């Protein structure tokens, strides 16, 4: 029996969990496209949407801008660039967020874009992320998200049109002191308003000759169940010929991880996969009490070997079994995160910018206890992740002046947390905890290893050592600025949906994609504060 997999993908769970908070509204009429350069068109579209907020259905404004080519050949990919989605929420929405004691918000957008050519249509998802912003004291809140979007290939002649559809905005909310609100994240769903221009036009790109060619159908793993089947053909055209001529939406935008704002996450000859291999991206924030600031861990690859379940302690009311899995960060062949940069005010007034990495000093272990209640088959999964990680500083700038930290600047030992079971888990390591719950036949909520979720904990940051070069000792500067005990140094890590290497899910009309075509994790999680 393998580990417990959620009944639905994490995005579905998030939507289900926060359906009561739906919100937003996009904008008014399309601004005519203007030429930005020879052979291209710069689109700046404003379309009205209506969204449900806790205070009721409210209008909001969103602008979608991008650069498209004017014309391409049949078979040539169309890759929109400089894609930006700007959402302006009304004052009523800001009031709803401040009622949750939120002081900051970070948005990630998912815009459904229809792609049509001749008589066929499909859908793609344009994703974007925004920088955290402070909620205004009055008036609207503006969130500007950018990101790469899938390419579209028209393999037959005829205009290919792009149109804006439903919009979802994932909001990570934080309090004034950097902690998460309750709830800490909201997913806001929006749909075009009744007075929106028909089909929400964004752009039209000529494909091939001026004369429309045979019908072609864009295809995508993001296609909705109602979209025409691109492989179906027509009554008087052979199926294989129809498929050869169909335009195509890239299957995994930004699907291959190399095309996304995330490092590669692949098994290779030096790290071969087994039947139990999983991979996933993790990200998150760490609050540093001394600095009254938060440090962002960028999307980082984790390679995981899923353990086999064993019987847990006897319980007349539950079936209990335990699973111990092992994971490793993986970046450029080493067990560490990508470099990340943090800027803070040391001692409250001196600006300091540090580039850092987290490096493993031993395996990351993932202990999960699964309890299924016999009476109704309700399942609760408690997971503890134990990670021995040192913090290494590679570059340092104080008040605009670069300081040479040398090659060995790091914490004296691993970051540590209060260990709930020290007898069985000795040594220095972080401890992160997550709980998943699932009722029979319903989507799971919370954290599960396979489907991901939020893990949280606290970290004691040890003193620094080996910092400085040329006789200059910077250990005390970093120790005095950053090091300190766990309470207040909160960690909130978000793991995305895993990709099972032996049984990959590429997505269809019933299942969200979990793996890209080259077996990297499809889902890049959004950090939460």
């Amino acid at each position: 029996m393998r580990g417990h997999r959620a009944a639905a993908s994490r995005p579905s769970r998030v939507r289900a969990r926060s359906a009561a908070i739906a919100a937003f509204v996009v904008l008014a009429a399309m601004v005519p496209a203007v030429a930005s350069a020879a052979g291209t068109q710069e689109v700046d579209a404003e379309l009205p949407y209506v969204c449900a907020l806790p205070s009721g259905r409210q209008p909001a404004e969103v602008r979608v801008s991008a650069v498209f080519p004017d014309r391409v050949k049949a078979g040539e990919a169309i890759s929109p660039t400089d894609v930006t989605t700007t959402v302006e929420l009304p004052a009523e929405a800001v009031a709803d967020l401040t009622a949750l004691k939120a002081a900051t918000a970070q948005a990630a957008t998912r815009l459904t874009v229809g792609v049509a050519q001749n008589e066929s249509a499909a859908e793609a998802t344009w994703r974007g992320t925004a920088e955290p912003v402070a909620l205004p004291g009055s008036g609207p809140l503006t969130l500007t998200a950018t990101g790469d979007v899938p390419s579209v290939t028209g393999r037959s002649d005829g205009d290919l049109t792009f149109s804006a559809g439903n919009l979802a905005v994932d909001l990570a909310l934080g309090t004034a002191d950097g902690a998460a609100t309750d709830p800490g994240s909201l997913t806001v769903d929006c749909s075009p308003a009744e007075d929106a221009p028909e089909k929400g036009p964004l752009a039209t790109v000529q494909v091939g000759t001026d004369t429309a060619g045979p019908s072609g159908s864009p295809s995508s793993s993001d296609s909705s169940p109602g979209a025409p089947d691109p492989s179906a053909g027509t009554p008087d055209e052979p199926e294989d010929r129809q498929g050869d001529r169909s335009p195509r939406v890239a299957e995994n935008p930004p699907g291959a991880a190399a095309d996304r704002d995330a490092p590669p996450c692949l098994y290779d000859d030096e790290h071969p996969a087994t039947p139990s291999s999983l991979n996933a991206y993790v990200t998150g924030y760490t609050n540093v009490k001394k600095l009254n600031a938060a440090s962002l861990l960028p999307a980082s690859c984790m390679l995981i070997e899923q353990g086999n379940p064993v019987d847990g302690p006897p319980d007349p009311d539950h079936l209990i079994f335990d699973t111990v899995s092992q994971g490793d960060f993986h970046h450029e062949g080493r067990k560490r995160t990508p470099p990340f940069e943090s800027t803070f005010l040391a001692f409250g007034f001196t600006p300091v910018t540090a580039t850092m990495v987290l490096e493993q000093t031993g395996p990351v272990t993932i202990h999960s206890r699964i309890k299924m209640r016999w009476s109704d088959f309700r399942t609760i999964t408690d997971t503890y992740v134990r990670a021995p990680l040192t913090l290494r500083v590679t570059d340092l700038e104080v008040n605009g002046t670069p300081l040479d930290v040398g090659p060995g600047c790091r914490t004296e030992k691993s970051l540590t947390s209060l260990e709930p079971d020290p007898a069985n888990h000795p040594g220095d390591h972080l401890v992160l905890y997550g709980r998943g719950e699932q009722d029979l036949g319903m989507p799971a909520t919370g954290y599960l290893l396979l489907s991901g979720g939020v893990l949280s904990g606290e970290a004691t940051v040890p003193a620094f050592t080996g910092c400085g070069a040329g006789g200059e000792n910077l250990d005390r500067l970093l120790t005095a600025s950053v090091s300190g005990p766990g309470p207040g140094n909160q960690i909130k890590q978000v793991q995305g949906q895993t990709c099972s290497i032996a049984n990959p899910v590429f997505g269809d009309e019933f299942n969200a994609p979990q793996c890209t075509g080259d077996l990297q994790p499809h889902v890049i999680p959004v950090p939460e504060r």
Side-chain angles (χ1 to χ4, degrees):
M1 182 176 182
R2 303 302 296 161
H4 192 62
R5 181 174 290 275
S9 67
R10 177 157 181 82
S12 298
R13 297 203 311 275
V14 175
R15 287 193 296 270
R17 186 168 61 237
S18 38
I21 315 284
F24 291 94
V25 202
V26 220
L27 300 122
M30 183 172 179
V31 176
V34 297
S36 60
T40 64
Q41 52 179 315
E42 183 177 307
V43 171
D44 193 352
E46 297 179 347
L47 303 167
Y49 279 58
V50 175
C51 310
L53 290 160
S55 57
R57 294 174 66 83
Q58 300 283 353
E61 294 187 346
V62 173
R63 170 173 290 174
V64 181
S65 61
V67 177
F68 291 82
D70 284 327
R71 173 196 288 273
V72 297
K73 299 176 182 178
E76 181 181 352
I78 300 169
S79 299
T81 59
D82 298 333
V83 178
T84 300
T85 303
T86 302
V87 182
E88 184 180 284
L89 299 179
E92 291 85 352
V94 178
D96 288 339
L97 299 181
T98 55
L100 298 174
K101 299 183 179 180
T104 62
Q106 182 176 27
T109 59
R110 290 174 282 126
L111 177 66
T112 299
V113 175
V115 184
Q117 187 177 44
N118 302 321
E119 301 300 323
S120 302
E123 292 179 349
T125 301
W126 286 11
R127 302 175 187 272
T129 56
E131 293 294 324
V133 297
L135 300 184
S138 61
L141 168 66
T142 301
L143 304 165
T144 302
T146 60
D148 295 331
V149 301
S151 63
V152 177
T153 304
R155 293 183 288 185
S156 62
D157 293 343
D159 287 351
L160 201 153
T161 62
F162 295 79
S163 56
N166 292 335
L167 172 70
V169 181
D170 300 315
L171 286 175
L173 304 176
T175 62
D177 60 3
T181 60
D182 185 14
S185 62
L186 306 174
T187 295
V188 178
D189 298 313
C190 313
S191 58
E194 292 183 359
D195 59 343
E198 185 179 0
K199 297 183 179 180
L202 292 177
T204 298
V205 178
Q206 292 184 353
V207 179
T209 66
D210 292 336
T211 303
S215 175
S217 171
S219 62
S220 170
S221 61
D222 290 324
S223 297
S224 66
D229 183 352
S231 62
T234 61
D236 48 12
E237 183 171 18
E239 180 178 335
D240 56 350
R241 184 180 177 188
Q242 173 71 15
D244 289 343
R245 305 173 81 169
S246 297
R248 177 173 55 86
V249 176
E251 179 180 345
N252 294 309
D259 297 333
R260 301 179 290 176
D261 188 17
C265 192
L266 282 164
Y267 287 87
D268 52 32
D269 292 341
E270 294 185 5
H271 305 83
T274 73
S276 299
S277 292
L278 312 169
N279 52 4
Y281 285 110
V282 297
T283 186
Y285 282 102
T286 299
N287 292 329
V288 182
K289 182 178 181 180
K290 275 190 174 181
L291 305 175
N292 193 28
S295 179
L296 170 66
L297 174 69
S300 303
C301 173
M302 178 71 71
L303 304 182
I304 303 168
E305 288 299 307
Q306 187 184 3
N308 292 316
V310 297
D311 291 339
D315 185 320
D317 299 320
H318 296 85
L319 170 65
I320 301 177
F321 55 91
D322 297 325
T323 302
V324 180
S325 304
Q326 183 171 310
D328 290 310
F329 280 111
H330 182 63
H331 181 68
E332 297 179 346
R334 300 175 64 179
K335 297 178 181 180
R336 65 178 186 177
T337 67
F340 55 96
E341 185 178 279
S342 292
T343 299
F344 50 88
L345 292 178
F347 313 113
F349 63 88
T350 304
V352 176
T353 298
T355 302
M356 300 171 284
V357 295
L358 288 170
E359 297 181 328
Q360 279 182 237
T361 60
V364 175
T365 56
I366 305 162
H367 296 78
S368 298
R369 169 161 291 181
I370 302 170
K371 296 178 63 175
M372 184 179 70
R373 191 162 58 198
W374 290 115
S375 60
D376 57 4
F377 300 108
R378 175 175 173 78
T379 301
I380 295 177
T381 303
D382 291 306
T383 299
Y384 289 89
V385 177
R386 295 174 169 90
L389 300 170
T390 58
L391 180 63
R392 179 181 292 273
V393 179
T394 60
D395 289 288
L396 185 67
E397 185 178 282
V398 178
N399 202 23
T401 302
L403 300 180
D404 189 354
V405 296
C409 181
R410 58 178 178 80
T411 53
E412 291 180 335
K413 58 182 181 178
S414 171
L415 283 67
T416 58
S417 304
L418 183 64
E419 170 56 63
D421 187 9
N424 290 313
H425 304 285
D428 296 323
H429 53 260
L430 286 175
V431 180
L432 300 177
Y433 169 75
R435 166 170 282 200
E437 301 182 5
Q438 186 170 22
D439 291 314
L440 184 65
M442 299 296 293
T445 60
Y447 176 83
L448 296 174
L449 172 60
L450 294 182
S451 55
V454 174
L455 294 157
S456 59
E458 293 183 341
T460 292
V461 182
F464 284 81
T465 185
C467 303
E472 187 174 22
N473 189 331
L474 302 175
D475 292 349
R476 290 194 297 174
L477 170 64
L478 287 167
T479 298
S481 302
V482 179
S483 302
N489 295 334
Q490 297 177 328
I491 300 174
K492 192 170 187 181
Q493 177 180 289
V494 184
Q495 177 202 308
Q497 166 74 53
T498 59
C499 168
S500 173
I501 306 303
N503 299 288
V505 176
F506 299 112
D508 54 32
E509 61 181 303
F510 303 107
N511 299 288
Q514 299 173 8
C515 305
T516 66
D518 54 355
L519 298 181
Q520 300 190 65
H522 183 274
V523 176
I524 299 177
V526 177
E528 299 180 6
R529 300 183 67 173

